[in-house]
Amino acid sequence: MIARFSVLLIIFTGCLKLTAQQELADYVNTLQGTNSKHELTRGNTYPTTALPFGMNTWTPQTGNNGDGWKYQYFKETIRGFQQAHQCSSWSNDYAVFSLMPVTQTLKLNENDRQSGFSHDNETAKPHYYQVSLENGVNTEMAPTERGVHMRFSYPKNQKAFLVLDGYTGLSSINIDKKNKRITGYVHNGRGMDRFEHFKNYFVIQFDKPFKTFGTWDNTTDEKKDQAIAAEGKGKGAYLQFKDGAKVQAKIASSYISLKQAEVTLKTELGKAKNLEATKAKAKKIWNTHLNKIRVEGGSETDFKTFYSCFFRASLFSRKFYEINEAGEPYYFSPYDGKVHKGYMYTDTGFWDTFRAQFPLNALLYPEMHGRYVAALLDAYEQCGWLPSWSFPSEAGSMIGNHAISLLADAWAKGIHTFDPEKALKAYYHEATEKGPWGPANGRHGHKEYYTLGYVPYPKYGEATAKTLEYAYDDFCAYNLAKMTGNSFYENVFGRQMYNYKNVWDDSVGFMRGRKANGSWVEDFDAYEWGGPFTEGNAWHYVWSVFQDPKGLINLMGGEQQFNTKMDSVFSVPNTVHVGTYGGKIHEMREMELADMGQYAHGNQPIQHMIYLYNYSGQPWKTQNRARQVMSKLYNYTENGYPGDEDQGQTSSWYVLSAMGFYSVCPGTDEYVLGSPIFEKTTITLENGNEFVISAKNNSDKNVFINKANLNSEIFTKNYLTYSQIINGGSFDLEMTDNPNKTRGIKETDKPFSLTEN
């Protein structure tokens, strides 16, 4: 009897393990971070129903057409279920259309047709979204890469209408009653206005016949019964089905042509007999994807937070290419408006994502990342500039020229899918010119940066932040040139990568705004936001020397003074002086709410800062702070982020940090150590290898690394290299509640820095 019980116990335990490996999508909450508004964001996300890096996403819509806040958790009504591509509320969206089920009386206007709902009747998973509306309709969605499978279950004996809304711009509608189909296109949003012929073609295939139908105009609410076609601003359609019907709709779209949309419909949704089939296939894809990182141990909250963040980190950048009938990739270029063969990706801002999202991609998806960086040079050929903020075309938002970070980082990690000389030539053009689209399209102040060694303020806004980021980008170009034996560009950019020193003012102990005549901007206030800085203050930007922490340590007078300065970030008041912003922006409120002094994790500039203790002889402080930030500022709920999630960056910070490391200086092959959350993390690499991180005695209190072994050999360094991870092996840590102040303090243990002494 005892033996039989033991066998059953083993079988049951094995099933639990198998279930955890297969069903990770169940732990994801796509509502994470959705309780956001203009004044305060908890992620600035929406409940995305999509496949990893899919071209299109789908979401319920609580906001008005054209409102960047497409879904807010505190809202009580839904007015549509829309195709989306939005990176954040601040960028709004493009190529949008929506469907909304209506009962009893046909209501077309978005305000009239909206229906109440409760989160108690809502399911929000990567592979499946469902909500029971107060109008009685149960709506369900399951995604493909470029489409969605929807089902609308109307209440018995009630009239069943469906409204297609053409959103804010031009649209075209064609209703095919015989074949139960609607086709058309939309042309709307900020990213769509560069090319008039840039359209999102769609095909919607229904499984039930239309009882009545017509077109309508959302600018006038005028409808035309029995009309089969309409084209113009805000054109849409409405359908009526049999009372109480259960209607399925398969939807696919294309930026290339209606014919391609029909090909996609056939290949991605054609074999699905019902929504359950599409849902099951999508769940399998997500489970396979999420199982690339399997975590064990830790709390249930940690588990759910990790996989919710991993999901969000797996949405950007989006595939912008399509697959033709021969199975070949091609795409409509948002850069020159032409169709090209090959791969293209879009919908990301490198100012955010160069820091963690792309280093995570390089680790987990090197084939895709190789295609991505090669496509950067295709984009350069097509529009004359390297992208900086693609949405879907080049917007030039934020600051810096961080495409070179992706290129250098890929090369440093052995991803050699592009011509490095071509990349350096493209970057040289970027660094010596100013383009027409936003501050990060080329360089603001490039002439002064070259002649003075810094960008002067107030001649150029955000000048000191730009100087710091230009210097880092120049390092990336220098390192790419050095790795590929290009002495010309190595010399050019090697002269500029130390320019951060030119905005350091020793008298105040911070980076500072500097005038064109060399004098410092008066009335320095380290708590003042804006001016020479971007969405932050001097406390945040003093650490923006990714390429040379040792050089920064020397500027501050040595490791003791550096560590004291680092410590003070958390001990000084969370004071905000609004500066040139003239009022509190949400990033300020988020720093205040975090209540961690001047540590503003809700925005990107300071997110690497806690890892700098690894460079200054006190790595245990990184370990402690990393765990503190993860436990205090992240969770899997609608309030799950400390600020804007930003196209996967803030999620990727968490995913990397929860595994126990972070990419401080992309452009090198190093991941700097922190403190893993889980007792065991298994990373399954694309080459089939596994890298297993074991953290013995790990707990909420045991956050410090006492000992470390890499592949059974004593390991004292404060970083892992890319090759050490992708070659597979074991990284065994012994965790304790007391810091080991003798480990990782030798010069040979410290991560890369340009300055060595």
Side-chain angles (χ1 to χ4, degrees):
M1 183 68 182
I2 294 175
R4 183 169 178 269
F5 176 77
S6 298
V7 171
L8 289 173
L9 182 62
I10 291 169
I11 293 172
F12 181 65
T13 304
C15 287
L16 279 177
K17 185 176 181 181
L18 185 64
T19 299
Q21 289 178 345
Q22 287 189 335
E23 304 300 324
L24 295 178
D26 290 336
Y27 292 93
V28 174
N29 177 22
T30 68
L31 295 173
Q32 182 188 27
T34 58
N35 195 27
S36 299
K37 54 186 176 181
H38 184 275
E39 298 80 12
L40 180 70
T41 74
R42 298 294 195 179
N44 208 349
T45 61
Y46 53 90
T48 307
T49 309
L51 292 188
F53 312 107
M55 190 174 84
N56 302 321
T57 67
W58 290 83
T59 182
Q61 175 190 350
T62 63
N64 294 324
N65 285 351
D67 187 349
W69 305 91
K70 61 173 69 256
Y71 181 100
Q72 293 172 292
Y73 189 85
F74 57 85
K75 293 288 184 69
E76 298 179 344
T77 61
I78 288 174
R79 61 187 64 220
F81 298 88
Q82 65 170 229
Q83 186 184 101
H85 315 88
Q86 182 168 289
C87 297
S88 79
S89 302
W90 314 112
S91 61
N92 213 301
D93 207 347
Y94 66 90
V96 179
F97 61 94
S98 68
L99 296 173
M100 181 65 187
V102 177
T103 58
Q104 292 301 79
T105 304
L106 176 61
K107 298 174 182 176
L108 298 170
N109 182 278
E110 59 176 319
N111 294 315
D112 297 333
R113 70 179 188 244
Q114 64 184 329
S115 175
F117 77 106
S118 167
H119 296 298
D120 294 335
N121 299 318
E122 185 181 35
T123 305
K125 298 297 176 187
H127 59 285
Y128 178 64
Y129 178 86
Q130 171 274 329
V131 63
S132 294
L133 299 170
E134 289 181 6
N135 67 13
V137 182
N138 186 54
T139 298
E140 301 165 274
M141 301 189 291
T144 68
E145 284 195 336
R146 300 165 188 86
V148 70
H149 201 145
M150 285 187 172
R151 182 163 60 201
F152 306 98
S153 299
Y154 293 86
K156 290 184 178 180
N157 302 319
Q158 289 195 21
K159 291 181 179 179
F161 298 98
L162 187 67
V163 178
L164 189 160
D165 196 321
Y167 211 61
T168 58
L170 296 176
S171 54
S172 174
I173 298 293
N174 288 278
I175 301 172
D176 183 347
K177 180 181 179 182
K178 179 181 177 181
N179 293 303
K180 304 188 291 289
R181 174 178 287 205
I182 297 179
T183 58
Y185 70 79
V186 290
H187 176 100
N188 56 54
R190 297 181 187 175
M192 296 284 281
D193 54 9
R194 189 163 296 166
F195 304 107
E196 290 185 3
H197 63 299
F198 186 8
K199 298 171 183 175
N200 185 25
Y201 299 92
F202 61 82
V203 54
I204 309 174
Q205 181 65 58
F206 297 94
D207 70 337
K208 296 292 191 298
F210 311 154
K211 187 175 179 181
T212 61
F213 59 87
T215 63
W216 72 290
D217 185 325
N218 69 18
T219 65
T220 63
D221 292 338
E222 178 186 359
K223 69 183 180 78
K224 295 184 178 180
D225 297 335
Q226 303 300 306
I228 62 171
E231 187 170 21
K233 183 170 177 149
K235 301 301 183 184
Y238 66 88
L239 307 173
Q240 183 180 6
F241 301 96
K242 180 181 177 181
D243 293 358
K246 182 179 287 188
V247 180
Q248 294 191 88
K250 295 178 179 180
I251 307 173
S253 62
S254 167
Y255 300 122
I256 296 172
S257 67
L258 180 58
K259 180 182 178 182
Q260 177 58 45
E262 291 170 341
V263 169
T264 299
L265 181 72
K266 181 179 178 180
T267 55
E268 293 191 1
L269 285 154
K271 295 181 180 179
K273 293 182 179 180
N274 51 36
L275 184 136
E276 281 72 22
T278 306
K279 175 184 173 183
K281 185 177 180 181
K283 186 174 186 181
K284 183 179 180 181
I285 290 170
W286 271 113
N287 282 329
T288 298
H289 183 91
L290 296 172
N291 268 288
K292 289 178 181 290
I293 309 175
R294 300 192 305 277
V295 298
E296 302 174 44
S299 68
E300 183 178 1
T301 294
D302 291 336
F303 201 76
K304 290 180 177 179
T305 302
F306 180 85
Y307 284 108
S308 294
C309 285
F310 189 17
F311 155 76
R312 192 67 59 180
S314 305
L315 297 175
F316 304 95
S317 295
R318 292 200 179 93
K319 297 173 180 175
F320 207 72
Y321 62 89
E322 303 172 43
I323 306 298
N324 65 19
E325 289 178 287
E328 301 163 335
Y330 71 141
Y331 60 92
F332 179 98
S333 170
Y335 300 106
D336 68 2
K338 300 176 182 178
V339 176
H340 300 267
K341 294 180 180 179
Y343 299 94
M344 182 57 66
Y345 300 81
T346 189
D347 292 353
T348 190
F350 295 154
W351 184 80
D352 304 288
T353 53
F354 85 85
R355 305 163 195 264
Q357 206 265 336
F358 284 104
L360 178 62
N361 282 1
L363 198 61
L364 297 179
Y365 331 107
E367 181 180 49
M368 181 187 76
H369 194 57
R371 292 170 177 170
Y372 191 99
V373 291
L376 290 178
L377 297 183
D378 293 334
Y380 169 72
E381 286 189 343
Q382 291 161 20
C383 78
W385 302 90
L386 286 170
S388 63
W389 229 109
S390 54
F391 186 65
S393 191
E394 165 63 347
S397 305
M398 301 308 293
I399 64 173
N401 310 111
H402 299 313
I404 193 63
S405 173
L406 275 65
L407 291 159
D409 192 62
W411 199 273
K413 292 168 179 170
I415 301 172
H416 299 168
T417 56
F418 60 93
D419 179 350
E421 177 148 2
K422 183 177 177 182
L424 289 164
K425 181 180 178 181
Y427 176 71
Y428 182 81
H429 172 257
E430 201 80 14
T432 57
E433 301 286 346
K434 177 66 196 77
W437 308 305
N441 178 224
R443 276 187 177 171
H444 269 164
H446 63 88
K447 292 180 181 178
E448 290 87 349
Y449 175 79
Y450 182 77
T451 57
L452 300 175
Y454 61 92
V455 181
Y457 184 81
K459 184 175 182 179
Y460 298 96
E462 308 171 312
T464 303
K466 289 172 180 174
T467 299
L468 295 169
E469 300 205 20
Y470 293 169
Y472 162 70
D473 290 333
D474 287 344
F475 157 74
C476 290
Y478 157 84
N479 206 33
L480 179 59
K482 184 177 180 180
M483 289 185 290
T484 57
N486 192 319
S487 59
F488 173 76
Y489 287 116
E490 183 181 349
N491 291 332
V492 168
F493 296 112
R495 292 195 298 267
Q496 299 177 179
M497 61 189 177
Y498 294 101
N499 278 353
Y500 69 89
K501 296 180 181 181
N502 297 327
V503 289
W504 166 262
D505 182 2
D506 198 54
S507 69
V508 297
F510 287 96
M511 304 295 175
R512 185 173 179 180
R514 195 169 186 180
K515 297 179 181 179
N517 64 8
S519 64
W520 298 111
V521 174
E522 300 85 355
D523 302 321
F524 176 78
D525 179 358
Y527 298 94
E528 183 177 333
W529 286 55
F533 302 109
T534 302
E535 297 178 0
N537 63 27
W539 279 105
H540 308 147
Y541 276 92
V542 69
W543 315 107
S544 291
V545 187
F546 314 98
Q547 73 278 20
D548 197 17
K550 179 62 176 176
L552 182 61
I553 289 168
N554 291 345
L555 285 180
M556 290 189 181
E559 290 185 352
Q560 182 177 343
Q561 292 89 335
F562 182 83
N563 289 326
T564 298
K565 188 83 165 186
M566 291 264 284
D567 294 344
S568 67
V569 169
F570 300 96
S571 62
V572 297
N574 58 349
T575 300
V576 168
H577 296 158
V578 299
T580 54
Y581 286 101
K584 282 191 178 180
I585 58 175
H586 70 92
E587 288 90 351
M588 300 173 186
R589 293 185 177 91
E590 288 144 15
M591 188 192 77
E592 290 176 321
L593 284 174
D595 196 24
M596 297 179 74
Q598 287 293 312
Y599 184 70
H601 188 83
N603 209 13
Q604 279 64 49
I606 206 170
Q607 286 182 351
H608 70 292
M609 168 249 176
I610 56 176
Y611 284 89
L612 296 181
Y613 287 112
N614 284 289
Y615 300 76
S616 58
Q618 295 186 342
W620 59 89
K621 289 185 177 178
T622 287
Q623 296 155 25
N624 185 46
R625 289 297 184 187
R627 292 288 284 271
Q628 182 183 8
V629 170
M630 285 185 278
S631 64
K632 184 175 183 179
L633 301 185
Y634 287 82
N635 62 67
Y636 66 90
T637 74
E638 65 275 8
N639 298 313
Y641 293 102
D644 284 347
E645 197 283 321
D646 285 327
Q647 311 107 57
Q649 163 58 26
T650 304
S651 292
S652 296
W653 185 97
Y654 183 92
V655 171
L656 288 170
S657 295
M659 292 193 289
F661 47 76
Y662 184 73
S663 180
V664 171
C665 186
T668 70
D669 67 345
E670 294 180 359
Y671 294 83
V672 179
L673 295 187
S675 175
I677 287 181
F678 302 98
E679 294 175 15
K680 184 178 181 181
T681 301
T682 303
I683 308 172
T684 300
L685 287 311
E686 202 169 71
N687 58 14
N689 295 334
E690 286 189 345
F691 188 74
V692 182
I693 304 163
S694 298
K696 184 180 178 182
N697 301 325
N698 203 359
S699 70
D700 291 343
K701 294 182 179 179
N702 294 350
V703 303
F704 300 105
I705 299 173
N706 186 42
K707 297 178 182 178
N709 289 330
L710 179 63
N711 299 326
S712 302
E713 295 185 2
I714 295 174
F715 189 80
T716 62
K717 294 186 184 299
N718 295 332
Y719 61 91
L720 292 164
T721 65
Y722 181 79
S723 61
Q724 285 171 336
I725 297 172
I726 65 166
N727 287 341
S730 59
F731 189 46
D732 299 312
L733 307 175
E734 180 185 285
M735 309 300 290
T736 179
D737 61 350
N738 289 309
N740 181 347
K741 297 185 179 181
T742 63
R743 187 198 168 278
I745 61 173
K746 296 179 181 178
E747 288 300 316
T748 54
D749 294 330
K750 296 174 182 177
F752 170 82
S753 182
L754 279 171
T755 301
E756 296 180 356
N757 298 305

